[in-house]
Structure formats: structure tokens, C-alpha cells
Amino acid sequence: MSTQPIVMSGIRSTGFLHLGNYFGAIRNYVRMQDEFECYFMVADLHTLTTHPDTAQLKHNVHRVLAENIACGLDPDKVALYCQSHIRETSELYLYLNMLAYKGELEKTTTFKDKVRLQPENVNAGLLTYPVLQAADILLHRASLVPVGKDQEQHLEMARNFANRFNHRYGPIFPEPMAFNYGTELVKVPALDGSGKMSKSENQHATLYLADSDEDIRKKIKKMKTDGGPTEPGTPKPDYIQSIFLLMQLVSPSEAIQKFEEDYNNCSIRYGDMKERLAQDMIRFIAPIREKVNQIMADETYLSNIMEKGAQKARKSAQATMEMVRKAMGLVYYP
Ligand code: TYM
């Protein structure tokens, strides 16, 4: 077993990437690519659990790849690939399904959320979503998985499946851990304070890496505020906390400190604060947006990247699957 930790993560191709995807996941990828062996993929198969219409799939897969590259991922340093190009994933998914129990899958928070959101399509792929995710990770025997807070439970399940496999068939898989360079996993809140930013739900409360300057300004302007604190030491309501949190992601520390002081001495002007946040957000998002557009224009470049990434990922997947089949006693010839 390799002693150097291997890194793996993925993003579904369900729509435009947003600030949560960047600060929860991609920011870590970009730093990890210089320190570890990394496998990063577009999870097009997971996408089918909620988006069975494939008319836009190719375009969306290209977009996620382009957005990853525009954010700083270097396809020469990492394996950047598409999930469905690695057929070994489906084989491992099948074996792991025998080690996953119906009860634990039904209790998964994301499954319960999806059942609420799409009661007309509660398919088995949705139920076994965490098993496919575990297969993605274990296929490379990865132990570090950079993800946002919302993926914590899926990672815990991946650890359980890995441990069950190791216990039954022998020690093949390291225990995968959710990873973030800070102290805790990140959750970027929705602009209206109603949970987290999300690719396909609640779009007016999400800042996308593709948003125009005008959209960014409008969305931030609409964020809820109030008349401000009237007594020093007043705790911040959630919706105000969210504005500060977004500032911490994109604004310089002097600006944050100024608004913290204004809040504490009850002189804060939320209009000014939101204007400052909008400026800093535009400064952060605009260059990424422009770069994505340039990369998207070159389909051949994107196809080549995907093919090169798949070759690298396949090599690692095939090595793991040989070990897996042998450990499971599925090799019947001498
Ligand atoms: P997906 O496409 O929903 O999200 C991609 C990444 O973005 C993070 N993220 C957030 N982080 C902070 N705040 C938010 N508001 C926010 N919204 C999304 C997610 O935590 C994730 O890291 N199941 C995965 C895809 C996947 C995968 C894998 C991940 C498939 N196979 C193997 C890791 C390893 C997902 O739904 O990602």
C-alpha cells in the first residue's frame, strides 16, 4: 500500500459551479495538487440520479472541467477526468453494494432530501448514491477527500464500506477522510439564509462563478439586513452573519475589521457593507468567468484533457481492481 496519501474528489455536472463548490472543494484541490497524487473527476453518473435527461450532459461536463481549470487546477499535475470513462467504477460499485445495508442507505440525509424533492423518481441509484461515491474514492485507494461540510455523512459511509470490505476480504483500502485545509469543513450559506448555496436549487440565493457583474451586485443588494444593532455586544442574527462570512471569503482583512468595528459600536451601514462585498465579489468572480469562457470555446482541448485524465485514472483503477478481485476470491484460473 502506498504510504503517501492519495487524494480524490468529484463534482456533479448538474449546473453552473458556485461559491460553495469553490470554497468547499476546489480551493483545496488547487493547493493539494502541489502536495499529493490527485484524482479529480466530473461525477456525470451521479448526475443521472436526479437529472435523467442527458441532452445537456456533454455541455455540462465540459463546463465543470473548464471551471475547475479556470479556478487553477492544472491537468498536467492531476488526473482530471470524467466518472463514466472509468468502467472499473461500476464494477467496484457492484461489489460494495453487497456490503451496504438498505436501512443505512434509507437513513442518509441526502437521500431523504431527494425523496422530498423528487417523489416521482425515487430510483435505486438515488438510494445507493453513497455507494457509488465510495467506489469513486476507494478505486484509487484514496485517503484524503477534499469536500464541503454537506458531504461529511457520505464520507463516513465510505469509511464504513471500506472497513467492512477490509474486515471481510483483507486490508485493501485506507480509510478515506473528508479534508479541508482550515480547521473545519466549509459550508457556504445561501444568500437568503435558507441553508447552503446549491447548483440546482434556490438559484437566486446562490452566487455562481458564471454570474455577470450585474447579477452579483443585484443578488448581494437583495440580501436581508435590518436597522443594525442598538446596543454594543448584540449577537449577529444569522442573515448578518452570512454577509460577514461571505466577506471573509473574498474581502481583505482591513475591510472586514472596519465593518466588525462599526457593528460593535452600532454605527454599521449595511448598504455600504453590501456595496463593498459586491465589489470584492466581482473582483473575485469576473476573472474566473472570463477564463471559463475562453476554455469552453476550445472543445478539442477539453476532450484531450479528459482523455489524458482518464488514462491516468484507469491505470490506478485497474491496479486496485486486480487487488480487489483477488482479495474477494474472484480469480478462478491459475
Ligand atoms: P456536488 O457536486 O454537490 O458538490 C461538489 C463539491 O462542492 C461542495 N459544496 C459546498 N461546500 C461548501 N458550501 C456549499 N454551499 C457547498 N455546496 C457544495 C461539496 O461538498 C462537494 O465537495 N457527492 C458529491 C460528488 C461526488 C464526490 C465523489 C465527492 C461524487 N463522487 C467522490 C467526493 C468524492 C457531490 O454531490 O458534489
Side-chain angles (χ1 to χ4, degrees):
M1 212 179 277
S2 161
T3 47
Q4 171 76 344
I6 291 173
V7 176
M8 194 279 146
S9 195
I11 300 183
R12 284 173 306 155
S13 42
T14 45
F16 294 102
L17 297 198
H18 54 73
L19 224 54
N21 300 131
Y22 181 85
F23 287 102
I26 302 175
R27 180 172 57 168
N28 290 304
Y29 302 179
V30 173
R31 214 170 130 184
M32 292 176 105
Q33 69 183 344
D34 291 318
E35 296 176 30
F36 303 101
E37 178 180 338
C38 295
Y39 297 87
F40 297 126
M41 61 160 211
V42 186
D44 58 337
L45 298 176
H46 277 107
T47 302
L48 297 175
T49 62
T50 50
H51 295 62
D53 182 353
T54 54
Q56 288 299 313
L57 194 54
K58 181 178 168 193
H59 180 79
N60 288 342
V61 166
H62 280 183
R63 174 160 274 285
V64 176
L65 281 176
E67 288 182 314
N68 270 290
I69 298 167
C71 289
L73 261 200
D74 181 348
D76 288 330
K77 291 186 184 162
V78 305
L80 184 58
Y81 62 100
C82 179
Q83 186 182 30
S84 63
H85 290 171
I86 314 300
R87 301 292 153 91
E88 288 77 7
T89 312
S90 305
E91 184 186 353
L92 185 56
Y93 170 52
L94 178 84
Y95 301 153
L96 294 178
N97 267 321
M98 319 302 180
L99 298 168
Y101 302 115
K102 180 170 161 274
E104 66 186 332
L105 295 171
E106 281 172 341
K107 270 193 272 171
T108 314
T109 310
T110 45
F111 176 69
K112 290 196 284 191
D113 287 347
K114 292 285 152 50
V115 170
R116 247 192 321 270
L117 282 169
Q118 54 176 64
E120 74 299 340
N121 182 17
V122 184
N123 59 77
L126 209 53
L127 182 69
T128 56
Y129 184 114
V131 188
L132 181 56
Q133 181 161 344
D136 295 328
I137 299 166
L138 300 179
L139 199 57
H140 301 297
R141 280 165 287 145
S143 50
L144 298 181
V145 186
V147 283
K149 179 107 185 120
D150 60 308
Q151 295 296 311
E152 208 166 24
Q153 190 180 29
H154 287 172
L155 261 295
E156 190 187 326
M157 295 174 83
R159 273 196 298 284
N160 288 340
F161 303 145
N163 285 334
R164 269 175 224 163
F165 184 100
N166 289 345
H167 190 246
R168 186 168 289 264
Y169 300 115
I172 301 289
F173 299 120
E175 279 197 353
M177 303 298 290
F179 179 87
N180 178 55
Y181 274 106
T183 44
E184 289 172 28
L185 298 180
V186 173
K187 174 186 163 185
V188 178
L191 297 175
D192 63 0
S194 69
K196 67 179 178 92
M197 280 196 188
S198 148
K199 265 184 256 140
S200 40
E201 299 146 32
N202 209 3
Q203 301 189 351
H204 63 280
T206 294
L207 286 169
Y208 295 95
L209 301 179
D211 277 347
S212 68
D213 294 357
E214 200 39 41
D215 285 340
I216 297 170
R217 215 171 265 121
K218 269 197 210 143
K219 286 182 187 178
I220 291 180
K221 206 168 173 186
K222 273 207 201 126
M223 286 182 81
K224 179 177 168 184
T225 54
D226 52 30
T230 48
E231 276 176 41
T234 311
K236 294 185 186 105
D238 282 355
Y239 49 91
I240 298 297
Q241 189 61 49
S242 293
I243 306 180
F244 275 98
L245 209 148
L246 290 175
M247 267 204 142
Q248 274 155 22
L249 300 177
V250 294
S251 296
S253 51
E254 314 86 71
I256 302 165
Q257 208 179 332
K258 175 203 171 321
F259 288 108
E260 283 287 358
E261 280 164 17
D262 289 354
Y263 184 88
N264 288 334
N265 62 32
C266 306
S267 65
I268 192 156
R269 292 158 61 114
Y270 289 129
D272 293 352
M273 185 181 183
K274 289 198 284 186
E275 180 52 40
R276 176 67 207 244
L277 174 61
Q279 275 172 24
D280 293 333
M281 194 60 78
I282 289 169
R283 196 171 310 124
F284 174 77
I285 288 181
I288 298 178
R289 181 183 68 220
E290 317 283 300
K291 217 160 170 194
V292 173
N293 292 339
Q294 283 167 20
I295 300 170
M296 283 292 278
D298 193 348
E299 266 205 38
T300 316
Y301 167 74
L302 286 172
S303 304
N304 289 342
I305 298 276
M306 248 190 300
E307 184 44 36
K308 206 174 104 190
Q311 278 173 17
K312 207 164 158 189
R314 239 175 248 134
K315 213 166 144 200
S316 140
Q318 283 164 357
T320 302
M321 289 317 291
E322 269 185 35
M323 291 165 76
V324 165
R325 288 182 212 115
K326 205 163 153 207
M328 292 180 74
L330 293 170
V331 181
Y332 306 134
Y333 42 80

